[in-house]
Amino acid sequence: MRAPPRVRFAPSPTGALHVGSIRTALFNWLLARSGAGAFILRIEDTDQGRHVEGSEVQILESLRWLGLEWDEGPEVGGPHAPYVQSLRVETYRGVAEELVASGAAYWCTCTAERLAQMRAAQRAAHQPSRYDRRCLGRPEEVARERAGGTPAVLRQRIPEGRTEWVDAIRGPVAFDNAELDDQVLLKSDGFPTYHLANVVDDHLMEITDVVRADEWIPSTPKHLALYAALGWAPPRFAHVPVVLSEDRQKLSKRRGARSVLEYRDLGYLPVALVNAMALLGWSSPDGEEVLAPDQIVARFSLDRVQPSPAVFDEQRLDKLNGLHIRMLPLTRLAELLAPWLPAASDEQRLSLAPLLQERITRLSDATTLAAPLLGEVAWDETVEFPPRKVDAATAADLLDACAAAVEAGGLEDITALREQLTAMLEQRGLKARDGFRVLYVAVLGAPAGVPVFDAMRFLGAEATLPRLRRARAHLPS
Ligand code: GLU
C-alpha cells in the first residue's frame, strides 16, 4: 500500500488568490484528505521584488474561508517549520554549496549588460535564449572576481541527455536537456530563486506528490536534474490544467478574475465555490454535480483529472450556489444571512430564511428581497397598477376583501386566507397568480418577490393594512 500522501500548496504572495490558483490548492487538499495524508501550506516569498503587501494574510483567509485547513504551515507550525521561504534562506545556501562542490552548479559573474548582449545576439541568430556558459569555462577567473567583490549568481549546470517522467495527469513527458537553460539558483543578493527553494523544501518537507499548475511543466526537468544531482528521490508530479475564463483566455488577475474573498463578499457559499472548482477538470465517477466537500473527498482521485484546460463558468457557480443554499438547514441559513440583513433580529432572520431559501442565488440577493419586509416601501409610480390582466374594480374588491380578512385576524391562517381570495378571483374568471399581483404591488412594491401571504404574516396586520389601503387609494374609486 502507498504511504499517505504529503502534498503542498506553495503560493507566492504576489496578490490575492483567484479561482485558477485556489483550484490547485483544492486539488492538493482533496488528494491529502482522500488519502488520509497531510496538506502543507508553504509561502514562497523569495522573490521580494514581486511581493505584494498583505497577500499572505489574504491567502490564509481565503483557504480558511473555503475550509481548506492545512495540517502544517504558517500559524499552524509543524515538524518542518518555518514554512515561509524567506525564513529558510540559510538552508538553501547550504544546499547550494553542495551543488557547487559536486559540479552541479557554478558561479557566474556575467553582468546584466553582457547577458543582454548575448540575448540580443541569440535573437538575431534565431537561437533560443539560453546562458552560453561563458563562466563555466573560466572557474579560476570567476573565483578571483568573486573574491574581489564582483557580484555573482549561482547557475545550475544542466546535464546532457533527456529528462522523462510520468505525470499523474499528463502521462509521459520528455524533454531534451539541450533545450534547458542553466538557470540561476542563487541570486547575487544570496537569495535563492524559486527553483532551488522549491526543490529543497519539497525534499525536506517530505512531499510525495507535487500537484501544481501546468505552467510549471518546463521547470520540472530542471527540478528533476536537481533531485538527481543531490541524490534525492523526486516526488511524483501532477500538472493540473489551466483554468480559462468563458472567453477561453487564461484566468488571471489582470483579466479581471475575481479573488476568492470577492466571491465571499458577493454572497457565495464556500461549499459552492469548492464544488464549482472541483469540477474544473475533475468529474465524479457517477456523474453527480452537486457535491458537498466530504462527498468530493470520498470520490476524488487524480486519475479523473483531465489534462485539457477547464473553463470556469460563473453561471454554473450561480446554479450550484443556489442549490447549496436550498440544502442548508434553516437555522444555518439564518446565521449566514446576518451580514446581508443587518437590520433584522435573530428571530426575524429565522422567519425570513424559509421565504428566501428557494428564491436566492447568492446570499446577497436576500438584501433586496427582504427589504420590503424590514423597512418602509415607497409607492412607486413607475410600477404598473393595477397590474396587467386585472381591472381596477377587481383590484379594489380584492384589496378590500383582503384588508377585511386581515383585520379579522386572517393572518393567523394564511392558507385559508389564500384560498378565500383565490375563490373570489376565480369566480371572476381570473387566475389567482394574475390577481395576486395586486397584493404583491400593494405589500412589496413590485409584482413579484417573496410569497406575499407569508410576507403579510411576517409584517403583521398592523404593517400590512396601511399598505393595502394605500394601494386601494391609488385605484379609481
Ligand atoms: N510558488 C509557485 C507559485 O506561485 C509554486 C509552484 C509550485 O507549486 O511548484 O505558483
Side-chain angles (χ1 to χ4, degrees):
M1 232 194 80
R2 259 190 72 175
R6 284 181 58 82
V7 297
R8 79 330 188 254
F9 178 50
S12 299
T14 54
L17 289 178
H18 61 72
V19 166
S21 33
I22 203 92
R23 199 265 318 244
T24 304
L26 175 63
F27 281 11
N28 274 288
W29 181 84
L30 288 169
L31 189 62
R33 292 292 170 267
S34 64
F39 175 55
I40 291 134
L41 176 62
R42 183 172 77 222
I43 303 294
E44 301 207 327
D45 60 346
T46 57
D47 193 347
Q48 305 277 317
R50 290 179 60 224
H51 187 266
V52 173
E53 197 57 41
S55 30
E56 282 97 334
V57 176
Q58 281 204 29
I59 290 170
L60 305 198
E61 200 179 338
S62 305
L63 291 169
R64 284 208 173 107
W65 176 68
L66 285 170
L68 308 183
E69 297 287 339
W70 51 101
D71 305 301
E72 296 173 30
E75 291 182 3
V76 169
H80 304 288
Y83 292 87
V84 176
Q85 288 189 327
S86 57
L87 304 176
R88 302 171 59 81
V89 173
E90 286 314 316
T91 307
Y92 312 126
R93 286 194 192 129
V95 175
E97 290 303 333
E98 273 181 56
L99 290 166
V100 175
S102 71
Y106 59 94
W107 294 104
C108 167
T109 52
C110 287
T111 59
E113 293 76 49
R114 169 163 199 272
L115 294 174
Q117 277 164 12
M118 176 196 84
R119 280 192 209 104
Q122 286 170 338
R123 244 194 323 272
H126 302 289
Q127 286 167 353
S129 166
R130 199 170 300 153
Y131 182 59
D132 60 6
R133 294 194 156 171
R134 174 173 170 264
C135 287
L136 181 62
R138 47 182 212 103
E140 286 87 17
E141 255 174 277
V142 171
R144 265 199 305 281
E145 287 167 7
R146 286 183 65 225
T150 308
V153 300
L154 186 70
R155 287 186 183 277
Q156 179 178 5
R157 181 183 183 172
I158 300 284
E160 321 262 277
R162 272 170 81 72
T163 305
E164 298 178 350
W165 77 93
V166 179
D167 194 276
I169 296 174
R170 300 249 145 192
V173 186
F175 276 85
D176 184 346
N177 290 6
E179 292 170 33
L180 309 176
D181 193 13
D182 279 358
Q183 65 191 332
V184 174
L185 297 175
L186 281 184
K187 291 175 271 190
S188 54
D189 61 3
F191 252 69
T193 57
Y194 154 74
H195 303 284
L196 178 64
N198 186 270
V199 165
V200 170
D201 283 347
D202 282 346
H203 172 72
L204 294 178
M205 295 179 182
E206 302 174 79
I207 300 303
T208 58
D209 298 79
V210 168
V211 180
R212 63 182 169 199
D214 63 4
E215 66 188 286
W216 297 106
I217 289 178
S219 299
T220 304
K222 305 175 187 177
H223 296 181
L224 285 167
L226 285 174
Y227 283 101
L230 291 159
W232 295 342
R236 271 176 298 268
F237 288 94
H239 287 95
V240 300
V242 67
V243 179
L244 304 177
S245 57
E246 276 154 89
D247 56 3
R248 300 222 130 238
Q249 303 288 321
K250 186 179 172 213
L251 211 63
S252 75
K253 232 177 314 167
R254 261 167 289 128
R255 301 189 47 83
R258 291 191 214 277
S259 73
V260 171
L261 297 180
E262 277 175 274
Y263 282 106
R264 176 194 65 188
D265 299 343
L266 286 169
Y268 288 92
L269 299 180
V271 289
L273 198 54
V274 163
N275 192 162
M277 289 192 304
L279 298 177
L280 292 174
W282 174 82
S283 59
S284 160
D286 41 24
E288 292 160 296
E289 296 228 332
V290 188
L291 296 162
D294 56 341
Q295 295 175 306
I296 303 172
V297 166
R299 290 160 179 72
F300 188 78
S301 67
L302 279 180
D303 51 24
R304 294 195 57 81
V305 177
Q306 298 296 319
S308 49
V311 176
F312 179 61
D313 170 358
E314 280 214 357
Q315 276 164 4
R316 186 193 216 182
L317 172 63
D318 280 347
K319 196 175 135 224
L320 288 169
N321 204 58
L323 292 168
H324 279 279
I325 287 178
R326 321 263 182 281
M327 283 156 36
L328 288 172
L330 286 172
T331 47
R332 179 73 186 127
L333 176 58
E335 269 167 37
L336 291 171
L337 286 173
W340 308 101
L341 303 175
S345 65
D346 291 353
E347 201 188 327
Q348 283 179 315
R349 271 190 277 114
L350 211 47
S351 15
L352 285 172
L355 311 193
L356 298 168
Q357 187 164 39
E358 300 294 323
R359 283 168 190 78
I360 54 177
T361 300
R362 306 166 176 193
L363 295 171
S364 49
D365 298 335
T367 309
T368 324
L369 265 181
L373 301 184
L374 296 170
E376 288 306 315
V377 184
W379 186 263
D380 181 353
E381 293 292 346
T382 66
V383 175
E384 186 183 14
F385 193 74
R388 260 183 320 121
K389 299 193 189 168
V390 190
D391 60 74
T394 306
D397 290 350
L398 177 67
L399 286 167
D400 289 342
C402 187
V406 167
E407 249 184 321
L411 294 180
E412 299 284 318
D413 184 352
I414 55 169
T415 311
L417 177 61
R418 190 192 301 111
E419 278 164 13
Q420 179 201 327
L421 299 177
T422 302
M424 178 190 150
L425 290 167
E426 283 174 355
Q427 258 171 26
R428 301 184 180 215
L430 215 72
K431 281 199 199 106
R433 185 161 36 94
D434 295 328
F436 287 159
R437 288 213 186 92
V438 173
L439 300 180
Y440 273 92
V441 176
V443 177
L444 303 171
V450 295
V452 74
F453 289 94
D454 294 270
M456 289 193 275
R457 182 173 53 192
F458 179 89
L459 288 166
E462 215 177 304
T464 300
L465 287 169
R467 295 190 188 189
L468 296 174
R469 291 190 184 124
R470 174 174 64 176
R472 177 70 180 79
H474 277 85
L475 291 169
S477 44

